[in-house]
Amino acid sequence: MAEIQAPQQDDNFSLFSNLKDDFPAGIAVFLLSVPLSLGIALASGAPLFSGLITGIVGGLVVAPLSGSALGISGTAAGLSLIILPAIQNLGFNAFLLAAVFAGVMQILMGLLRAGVIAYYFPSSVISGMLSGIGIIIFLKQIPHAVGYDRDYEGDFTFSQLDSHSSFTELFHMLGEAQPGAILIAVVSLLILLLWELPVMQKQRFFHLLQAPLVVVVFGVFLNGTLRSLYPDIALENTHLVMIPVVQDVPAFLQQLHFPDFSQIANPEIYLVALTLAIVASLETLLSLEAVDKLDPYKRVTPSNRELIAQGIGNISCGLLGGLPLTQVIVRSSINVQSGAKTKAAGFINGLLLLLAVFFIPAILNKIPLASLAAILLVVGYKLVKPETFKALYQSGWYHFIPFCGTVLGLVFTNILFGLLIGLTVALFSILLENYKSAYYFKETQIGNKTIIRLSENVSFLNRANIQKTLESLPAHSVVVIDATRSKYIDYDVYEIIQNFKSEAHHKHIKLILENLRGFGSLPPVEYVRSQTYESQQSLTPDKVLALLKEGNERFVYNLKSNRNLLEQVNDTRDGQFPIAIILSCMDSRTSVELIFDLGLGDVFSARIAGNIINDDILGSMEYACKLAGSRLIVVLGHSHCGAVKGAYADAQLDHLTGLLAKIKPAIDYVHSETLTNAKVDKDELIQKVADKNVQLTVGHIREQSSLLAGMEQAGDIAIVGGMYDIETGKVDFFQGVEK
């Protein structure tokens, strides 16, 4: 039974009603955005201030325009691989012009609804991206936690600029560990873990005061204390945040760079712009899907709107001297884990970055990188969930292998190449999965019969499997290809089916094509409507019999007409115009509507054990034919009939005894015919009785109802008998009747 769930009232996600959650989250994102923005700017070969400008634009421009509730936009480590050689080749100001054009291209992508590709990213790759980035964060922050800060904050590449890798760095750091950094990192981790305790989370104070802020304040205080009491282990400036200090507005304006519009005719500008637009859009869309996956409220971000917002953000960055931006998973994860509810947290992050640059750069430059490393260690640990590995493993190899490929690609290369590796592995997995399990349902039945039921969308991915299936069909078999459900069939698949017609002829394969209406986008198969007065009156008895035979043939081949039963309910509410009345046995396996592929209002159905005749049934038949307009009377017996077997065995049971007595004439007739042949099998005799019982019933109808006999002689109706084989589903109609 279907479960119907009543819609629930939406949560209140208005900006101002959630400031108690968004403001602390915005502070947490801001504290980590500073070193990440500076580090990625350094890796990109750009002025350090350009990274901060990107963070400011991401918060103040992109966040209000975006439809993402929890996404944070800023500098992206993946783009640094493109930005560094571009700046070296073009110069920074010419590169800014490329960033502006990249933004324009992203807006066009959004307007052209290119964001729909986000829905085609496999969930295994998205999960792999989250877990892989979590592992990278954890590996990269361990050296910073012990005071080894030679590699810049925000580096996500396996091979680092200091000639070490993510793994060899862990050994190399041991010789240069700083006791002060280790102390600050350990205490910071203890604070973070303490804040996670359920007893703490129940207190409103600990919910409002986010742990990252406490960790940063305590780190500044502890390092200041060490400088006063134990200067030998205190952290020097190289182990602290280093934000450019501006004294006033003119000094701030000097930090800004502007695009070189004299390079507008340089074709390399547009090549770099196109590369930036494509890569930044892909990273944004992947991050978009990942953040929606992390969102506890499972909100869905409009991808096209996000591309437009990102495009406007990149135009703003290019005009102000900032680096290109994307939606970034690390800062977005921090935002989610800090309890943000709306995009106000992203705006607060950008606002705080702007205010900090003007008013408190000196205070920010006292923050130990070890404190920030402790925060990111917890973030990375939360992204790597063991249950994700278990769930993907249980979902099958076709999902687990792309997941592992994405994780390993990210860890051993960088974010950009890691995602490309994951998507490539996922593509091969999809192709392999489609080859082994195509988008159709195959049913093999008794009698060397194969039914191929095509799905709604049959793409070229199904070509190999369909080809293999058709080639493997044995000679002298029967194959049915049902395209009733299909809304799209790729030309390659259609061509394979058409070519198979010739092969089927040579292999003596009976091929039945049902509703194969061409290729490409297909028109829907029209619904079969219920009979009307006009359609009923236009039919002759022979045509009605032909319709029943066609319906039974569909049933035998596991096909059925396309019907909307609720529509037929509506069609028949004012009246019924059945084309036949069918007298059949009450056996549960002999539903005539199914056997003849009929719908509502198509036939009258009279059922009684042994399909015998009596006055009540005769009266029903007379009503059906004379008053309701039915053109055909069918007496339908079936094989292995329990009533016939009971009559043959002379069974006695209260009222059933009298019913079975009406089958006795058929038994007597068969006995008289087979008296000279004593070797006839009992089952064969019983089937002969069932056949004869149908024939005698047809004769009784003619004998006992002069009305029906007269209508038959006038050609208004026909009276026929048939036998349904419960083993094959086929109905054979009797041509002649012995009286």
Side-chain angles (χ1 to χ4, degrees):
M1 183 177 179
E3 180 180 349
I4 302 176
Q5 184 175 351
Q8 299 179 354
Q9 186 174 356
D10 292 340
D11 291 279
N12 184 5
F13 291 120
S14 62
L15 298 180
F16 296 105
S17 63
N18 291 286
L19 281 178
K20 64 182 185 302
D21 298 304
D22 292 332
F23 194 78
I27 294 175
V29 175
F30 154 71
L31 292 171
L32 291 166
S33 291
V34 173
L36 292 174
S37 299
L38 295 173
I40 293 172
L42 177 65
S44 301
L48 293 181
F49 209 78
S50 63
L52 296 174
I53 291 174
T54 301
I56 294 169
V57 171
L60 299 184
V61 177
V62 177
L65 297 175
S66 170
S68 177
L70 301 176
I72 301 295
S73 297
T75 51
L79 290 182
S80 63
L81 300 172
I82 301 170
I83 296 173
L84 178 60
I87 291 177
Q88 292 172 343
N89 184 36
L90 298 173
F92 187 62
N93 294 85
F95 170 78
L96 293 178
L97 181 62
V100 171
F101 286 126
V104 173
M105 293 177 187
Q106 283 186 293
I107 293 175
L108 291 176
M109 288 180 187
L111 294 174
L112 295 174
R113 302 189 178 279
V116 71
I117 65 172
Y119 304 130
Y120 293 94
F121 293 139
S123 61
S124 56
V125 174
I126 302 299
S127 298
M129 180 177 73
L130 290 171
S131 298
I133 289 177
I135 294 172
I136 294 172
I137 292 173
F138 201 88
L139 292 173
K140 294 292 188 180
Q141 295 308 313
I142 293 175
H144 292 297
V146 301
Y148 184 78
D149 298 312
R150 295 200 178 180
D151 188 34
Y152 65 90
E153 188 66 79
D155 182 12
F156 292 123
T157 59
F158 180 72
S159 299
Q160 302 174 172
L161 294 177
D162 60 0
S163 301
H164 291 283
S165 70
S166 301
F167 293 113
T168 60
E169 189 91 324
L170 300 179
F171 298 99
H172 191 70
M173 72 181 186
L174 299 176
E176 300 186 39
Q178 301 289 324
I182 295 174
L183 176 63
I184 292 172
V186 170
V187 175
S188 298
L189 283 172
L190 290 175
I191 293 173
L192 291 167
L193 295 176
L194 179 68
W195 241 255
E196 292 289 327
L197 294 176
V199 66
M200 296 297 187
Q201 290 296 312
K202 292 179 181 178
Q203 306 299 321
R204 187 169 182 81
F205 172 78
F206 291 100
H207 182 69
L208 294 176
L209 186 62
Q210 287 289 324
L213 178 60
V214 177
V215 164
V216 167
V217 172
F218 186 83
V220 172
F221 171 77
L222 184 55
N223 193 52
T225 302
L226 292 176
R227 284 188 172 183
S228 301
L229 302 179
Y230 304 99
D232 293 340
I233 64 172
L235 298 179
E236 300 297 330
N237 290 341
T238 53
H239 302 292
L240 307 176
V241 172
M242 290 185 291
I243 187 173
V245 178
V246 292
Q247 304 294 338
D248 48 32
V249 174
F252 173 76
L253 294 177
Q254 289 179 359
Q255 298 287 340
L256 301 180
H257 293 75
F258 303 100
D260 182 4
F261 285 98
S262 66
Q263 296 290 317
I264 197 168
N266 185 350
E268 291 189 26
I269 295 290
Y270 300 97
L271 180 61
V272 172
L274 180 62
T275 305
L276 284 173
I278 293 174
V279 175
S281 298
L282 285 174
E283 284 203 23
T284 291
L285 294 175
L286 281 163
S287 180
L288 199 72
E289 290 291 299
V291 175
D292 285 350
K293 203 177 186 74
L294 293 174
D295 185 0
Y297 298 98
K298 302 305 176 188
R299 289 165 287 188
V300 178
T301 302
S303 54
N304 293 310
R305 176 177 171 181
E306 185 65 27
L307 286 179
I308 295 172
Q310 294 287 325
I312 295 173
N314 276 322
I315 292 174
S316 303
C317 288
L319 293 175
L320 297 174
L323 293 175
L325 54 74
T326 70
Q327 188 175 121
V328 281
I329 190 61
V330 177
R331 275 159 273 188
S332 300
S333 301
I334 297 165
N335 194 36
V336 174
Q337 294 177 18
S338 298
K341 295 288 183 63
T342 72
K343 56 188 178 183
F347 184 84
I348 291 168
N349 160 57
L351 182 62
L352 291 176
L353 280 172
L354 179 62
L355 296 176
V357 167
F358 275 110
F359 300 111
I360 56 170
I363 295 177
L364 292 180
N365 287 340
K366 293 180 180 181
I367 298 175
L369 293 177
S371 296
L372 301 178
I375 298 171
L376 287 169
L377 282 171
V378 174
V379 171
Y381 174 78
K382 289 183 177 180
L383 286 176
V384 186
K385 299 178 181 178
E387 55 266 27
T388 301
F389 286 80
K390 182 179 179 181
L392 267 297
Y393 176 76
Q394 292 176 340
S395 66
W397 290 107
Y398 294 117
H399 298 279
F400 187 63
I401 291 176
F403 169 78
C404 292
T406 306
V407 172
L408 295 174
L410 287 167
V411 172
F412 287 101
T413 58
N414 52 60
I415 290 181
L416 180 58
F417 285 108
L419 290 174
L420 291 176
I421 290 171
L423 290 171
T424 302
V425 174
L427 177 60
F428 277 104
S429 293
I430 291 171
L431 291 173
L432 185 61
E433 186 176 20
N434 275 271
Y435 176 74
K436 290 191 172 183
S437 177
Y439 284 9
Y440 62 79
F441 304 100
K442 176 182 173 183
E443 303 173 13
T444 303
Q445 299 180 351
I446 298 173
N448 204 20
K449 188 183 305 174
T450 301
I451 287 86
I452 300 175
R453 203 179 302 282
L454 301 179
S455 69
E456 286 191 3
N457 193 322
V458 186
S459 71
F460 74 96
L461 297 175
N462 308 122
R463 173 182 175 177
N465 207 352
I466 293 177
Q467 179 90 52
K468 180 181 177 183
T469 301
L470 295 177
E471 289 176 353
S472 65
L473 291 171
H476 302 284
S477 61
V478 178
V479 60
V480 179
I481 300 178
D482 182 11
T484 301
R485 304 177 186 175
S486 300
K487 295 181 179 178
Y488 174 86
I489 297 179
D490 184 78
Y491 175 77
D492 289 348
V493 174
Y494 178 79
E495 188 178 41
I496 287 172
I497 296 173
Q498 294 300 316
N499 292 339
F500 180 69
K501 287 182 178 179
S502 176
E503 182 182 356
H505 176 73
H506 294 301
K507 293 175 69 175
H508 303 287
I509 294 174
K510 183 175 181 180
L511 175 63
I512 298 170
L513 300 178
E514 181 77 1
N515 290 319
L516 186 64
R517 316 182 289 288
F519 56 87
S521 296
L522 304 177
V525 178
E526 293 185 4
Y527 289 126
V528 176
R529 305 299 290 264
S530 295
Q531 296 294 334
T532 63
Y533 176 78
E534 290 75 15
S535 65
Q536 182 199 57
Q537 294 300 307
S538 67
L539 294 173
T540 64
D542 288 340
K543 287 183 179 179
V544 173
L545 182 59
L547 289 176
L548 294 183
K549 290 179 177 179
E550 291 171 5
N552 179 243
E553 186 176 22
R554 287 194 296 273
F555 175 73
V556 168
Y557 293 126
N558 203 20
L559 301 171
K560 56 183 178 181
S561 300
N562 194 34
R563 287 187 174 88
N564 184 331
L565 294 180
L566 289 179
E567 184 178 66
Q568 291 196 331
V569 168
N570 185 63
D571 288 345
T572 56
R573 63 183 177 180
D574 295 327
Q576 58 175 335
F577 304 96
I579 58 176
I581 177 169
I582 302 176
L583 170 62
S584 63
C585 183
M586 62 175 285
D587 192 292
S588 61
R589 299 164 291 181
T590 61
S591 173
V592 297
E593 287 81 6
L594 297 178
I595 292 171
F596 294 111
D597 186 29
L598 300 168
L600 296 176
D602 285 344
V603 295
F604 289 111
S605 177
R607 303 184 67 176
I608 188 170
N611 41 272
I612 61 169
I613 199 74
N614 59 33
D615 288 345
D616 297 327
I617 292 175
L618 274 176
S620 299
M621 290 179 174
E622 290 170 349
Y623 167 80
C625 296
K626 189 64 177 179
L627 300 180
S630 296
R631 300 300 194 188
L632 184 68
I633 296 175
V634 178
V635 179
L636 185 66
H638 67 94
S639 60
H640 304 289
C641 179
V644 173
K645 289 179 179 179
Y648 192 85
D650 198 22
Q652 304 290 320
L653 180 65
D654 205 7
H655 293 83
L656 180 62
T657 305
L659 185 149
L660 297 181
K662 295 187 177 183
I663 304 177
K664 291 291 186 179
I667 298 174
D668 295 338
Y669 186 93
V670 171
H671 277 162
S672 66
E673 270 197 342
T674 58
L675 194 59
T676 58
N677 190 356
K679 295 183 179 180
V680 178
D681 182 73
K682 179 181 177 181
D683 290 338
E684 184 179 345
L685 281 173
I686 291 175
Q687 184 56 50
K688 285 180 176 294
V689 171
D691 292 341
K692 193 60 184 177
N693 182 54
V694 169
Q695 294 173 348
L696 291 178
T697 301
V698 170
H700 292 155
I701 294 172
R702 293 190 178 109
E703 292 170 359
Q704 297 176 28
S705 175
S706 58
L707 172 65
L708 296 175
M711 292 183 70
E712 184 180 30
Q713 291 175 358
D716 296 331
I717 67 169
I719 306 172
V720 297
M723 183 58 59
Y724 171 66
D725 189 336
I726 65 171
E727 294 182 6
T728 65
K730 183 172 177 57
V731 174
D732 288 314
F733 289 95
F734 300 132
Q735 297 300 319
V737 178
E738 295 187 33
K739 299 184 181 180

